[in-house]
Amino acid sequence: MRIDLEPRAEPSRWASIAAPVVALLLAIAIGGVVVALLGKSPVQAFSVYFIDPLSASWSLQALAVKASPLILIAVGLSFCFRANLWNIGAEGQFIVGGALGGWLALATHDGAYQQSLGGWWILPAMMLLGIVGGALYAMIPAILRVTLGVSEILSSLMLVYIAGYGLDYLVRGPWRDPQGFNFPVSVTFDPEATLPSLIADGRLHAGVLLTLAAVLIASVVLAKTMFGYEVRLFGAAPKAARFAGFSERTITLAVFAISGGLAGLAGIIEVSGQINQLQPSISPGYGFTAIIVAFLGRLAPFGILLAGLVLALTFIGGEGAQVAMKLPLDLTSAFQGILLMCVLAADVFTRYRVRIVTGAAR
């Protein structure tokens, strides 16, 4: 006897919509079992993870700020994944974007190079450098793929470590704050290099507006433009796309540039809006978590917006559970991994029918 997966002739639209919801509920149920095995109350854990962060203004602001980089990166990844290209190195592009944009903040620190122009141009230039840095870093696996046929999965993933170690070297070496008591951090950014707050004395910064703009623009590009049609066609039917005269090389370079650019923008938004300086690590794994966000949101920009808020909720809730229930912070990462597995499993059952084949039937 064996178990076969038989492709469904036409996957149900409603099943496709319900799949991520079912996956989320299943992941929550599995997480509850894990919490119970740790000797804690699953009901209290659910409240701390998913209810408490929605009950106060400060936590809602923290939720939006935490979701912002996840959504930006995931929107960029959706272009690659829809074209059936696998950019797994968004974490590295996030770091490079944050580092390159942060470099300008360090170069202009304390009024340097501002002179008669003032400092109004620094923040826009930092955002631009973040986009350029992330896009150029993403072009490495893209060019390797279109010229040498190198797997973009492996090359983009390995570049994550190079970016991380590179930033670590810079912050511990040439970019270290000489007045920082030997701590591996740069100087604190000037106000001209810091994203402004949207609420007085609050954490909500202008980067959240950039994220919403990116979601809106991406939804229009994917749904209403010829480029979006090409991306979707290459993912669904690559032979038909090539027969129609569309260039696979151009699409590969374009989607990686978009994906890397948005990851780099997320990086500099995180650095200039949250951290306000450079340090050895600027990401708790946003680039990898964004992969879950992209699939949970069905690779649709507005779906990704909702999925990003859900995943950000687990980050905020995880920090609260660590304090209130003494649960390990790694439980949040484990839950996110369980959620990814549930999403992928739900996708499989949406597209395939399970068929048990006995020996006699063979």
Side-chain angles (χ1 to χ4, degrees):
M1 184 184 75
R2 71 177 190 274
I3 299 175
D4 281 354
L5 293 175
E6 185 178 89
R8 297 181 187 274
E10 187 173 351
S12 166
R13 182 184 176 189
W14 289 109
S16 298
I17 295 173
V21 178
V22 173
L24 177 61
L25 295 176
L26 183 59
I28 291 175
I30 295 173
V33 172
V34 173
V35 170
L37 292 174
L38 292 173
K40 306 291 183 181
S41 167
V43 176
Q44 185 185 0
F46 178 83
S47 176
V48 171
Y49 266 91
F50 296 101
I51 305 298
D52 291 353
L54 302 176
S55 60
S57 172
W58 70 267
S59 56
L60 288 174
Q61 293 182 49
L63 180 66
V65 169
K66 186 71 80 174
S68 181
L70 292 173
I71 295 168
L72 266 178
I73 300 170
V75 167
L77 289 177
S78 71
F79 281 84
C80 281
F81 295 166
R82 275 176 174 260
N84 213 17
L85 296 165
W86 304 101
N87 177 15
I88 309 299
E91 179 80 0
Q93 295 141 29
F94 177 94
I95 294 171
V96 171
L100 190 58
W103 162 80
L104 183 61
L106 303 183
T108 57
H109 179 64
D110 245 357
Y113 305 105
Q114 295 185 26
Q115 300 178 354
S116 59
L117 279 178
W120 62 268
W121 57 275
I122 295 176
L123 201 53
M126 287 173 61
M127 298 295 118
L128 185 60
L129 282 175
I131 294 172
V132 170
L136 289 178
Y137 206 60
M139 294 305 287
I140 297 175
I143 292 173
L144 288 174
R145 176 187 166 86
V146 299
T147 57
L148 301 174
V150 176
S151 166
E152 75 276 16
I153 298 174
L154 294 177
S155 57
S156 62
L157 182 60
M158 287 189 290
L159 285 168
V160 172
Y161 300 98
I162 296 174
Y165 287 126
L167 177 62
D168 186 89
Y169 161 75
L170 291 170
V171 174
R172 294 180 189 277
W175 289 358
R176 184 203 297 260
D177 180 6
Q179 308 299 323
F181 303 100
N182 215 30
F183 285 102
V185 293
S186 72
V187 295
T188 303
F189 293 172
D190 291 338
E192 292 85 355
T194 304
L195 279 170
S197 296
L198 298 178
I199 298 176
D201 299 326
R203 297 183 59 186
L204 199 65
H205 56 65
V208 175
L209 299 181
L210 294 176
T211 300
L212 294 176
V215 170
L216 185 60
I217 293 171
S219 65
V220 172
V221 170
L222 281 172
K224 302 292 184 183
T225 67
M226 178 57 74
F227 174 72
Y229 174 73
E230 290 183 37
V231 170
R232 288 184 280 118
L233 186 59
F234 261 108
K239 289 183 179 178
R242 284 191 287 270
F243 183 76
F246 299 142
S247 168
E248 184 175 2
R249 173 186 294 253
T250 302
I251 287 294
T252 300
L253 296 175
V255 295
F256 266 85
I258 293 171
S259 180
L262 288 178
L265 177 62
I268 187 57
I269 286 177
E270 181 72 6
V271 168
S272 65
Q274 276 282 91
I275 306 173
N276 296 331
Q277 63 182 175
L278 289 170
Q279 55 191 35
S281 176
I282 61 173
S283 169
Y286 286 136
F288 298 116
T289 306
I291 297 173
I292 306 174
V293 174
F295 281 107
L296 190 62
R298 316 305 290 171
L299 304 182
F302 284 104
I304 287 171
L305 179 65
L306 294 176
L309 291 171
V310 171
L311 265 294
L313 197 61
T314 65
F315 275 113
I316 304 293
E319 294 169 358
Q322 188 181 24
V323 176
M325 300 181 64
K326 309 300 181 190
L327 287 172
L329 195 58
D330 289 340
L331 190 62
T332 300
S333 301
F335 173 79
Q336 292 170 354
I338 292 170
L339 178 57
L340 177 61
M341 296 302 297
C342 291
V343 170
L344 295 177
D347 278 348
V348 168
F349 288 116
T350 301
R351 297 176 183 177
Y352 296 89
R353 182 181 291 108
V354 177
R355 191 164 65 95
I356 299 176
V357 180
T358 62
R362 185 187 306 175

